[in-house]
Amino acid sequence: MSDDHTHVQEFFGSRAADWDSRFHDDGPAYEAAVARMGLRAGDRVLDAGCGTGRALTPLRAAVGGAGVVVGADLTSAMLEAAVRAGRDREGQLLLADVTGLPLLTESLDAVFAAGLVAHLPNPGENLRELARVVRPGGTLALFHPIGRAALAARQGRQITPDDLRAEANLGPLLAGSGWAMTSYVDEDSRFLALAVRRGRPQA
């Protein structure tokens, strides 16, 4: 396991128990982001880096009982918190690394990813892995319940020009990873970039 993965597990594992209570008012932002994805009844969707599973309920509501909802996370403590919150009833939980998913190629219609990009060890390669499991024309939603500036202020740092989530950086990154960015919103109340899976992801 890489140092990146170990750091992520340690960071989120130590915060899992009180994660939902710390961010208890994020629910409407998650619901609004899922609503923008255009999911349909029966769709198959992955919550990549699902954490405590806060997106699983709106994702299930969007795809209905006939749909498939999977939440994958690298940190077992986060998934345990999702189970305690009862969110395992909304979808299947997988202890899995999103950089190498145990899912069939083109088996999904969409991927939702909250706060994921900043934690990817190799963003271009890892976004290609998300493209691998989504059918052409499927959707990717990169989301955060607050925008880049608000998040930086919360963390006591400044936004730098090399921020992966800056529109000028994210668009080309997605384009080189099998995606075409279709919409980009970065405001204090939310960050949401939507992309469509292009043909086959580049090798």
Side-chain angles (χ1 to χ4, degrees):
M1 179 175 292
S2 72
D3 290 341
D4 288 320
H5 289 164
T6 302
H7 172 74
V8 168
Q9 288 178 314
E10 291 174 349
F11 179 89
F12 287 104
S14 66
R15 292 163 173 79
D18 66 347
W19 190 264
D20 283 353
S21 61
R22 289 175 62 199
F23 305 109
H24 60 88
D25 55 352
D26 286 347
Y30 274 79
E31 293 167 9
V34 169
R36 290 287 312 279
M37 294 177 69
L39 296 171
R40 298 167 296 183
D43 276 354
R44 302 153 297 172
V45 60
L46 168 70
D47 183 1
C50 66
T52 62
R54 289 180 293 168
L56 297 180
T57 298
L59 289 172
R60 171 58 67 192
V63 304
V68 174
V69 177
V70 178
D73 202 274
L74 185 65
T75 306
S76 58
M78 282 290 192
L79 296 179
E80 290 161 7
V83 171
R84 287 195 299 272
R87 297 182 183 126
D88 55 323
R89 295 191 294 268
E90 308 294 351
Q92 180 183 358
L93 298 177
L94 291 177
L95 181 62
D97 183 352
V98 300
T99 69
L101 290 162
L103 299 172
L104 295 176
T105 297
E106 297 183 7
S107 60
L108 301 173
D109 298 293
V111 173
F112 180 89
L116 181 69
V117 172
H119 299 288
L120 295 176
N122 187 332
E125 179 181 324
N126 306 150
L127 288 168
R128 277 194 292 275
E129 172 64 1
L130 296 183
R132 180 188 67 80
V133 300
V134 175
R135 63 168 176 80
T139 302
L140 171 67
L142 300 177
F143 166 74
H144 200 283
I146 60 175
R148 293 188 307 129
L151 180 62
R154 175 190 286 177
Q155 296 174 341
R157 59 178 177 83
Q158 298 290 323
I159 296 176
T160 59
D162 62 350
D163 183 347
L164 287 178
R165 295 192 307 156
E167 186 172 8
N169 298 330
L170 187 59
L173 177 64
L174 287 167
S177 305
W179 301 96
M181 191 161 69
T182 57
S183 119
Y184 181 93
V185 176
D186 180 20
E187 43 193 41
D188 282 351
S189 60
R190 64 171 171 159
F191 174 91
L192 181 63
L194 297 176
V196 170
R197 162 79 148 75
R198 302 169 69 172
R200 296 201 175 276
Q202 299 175 17

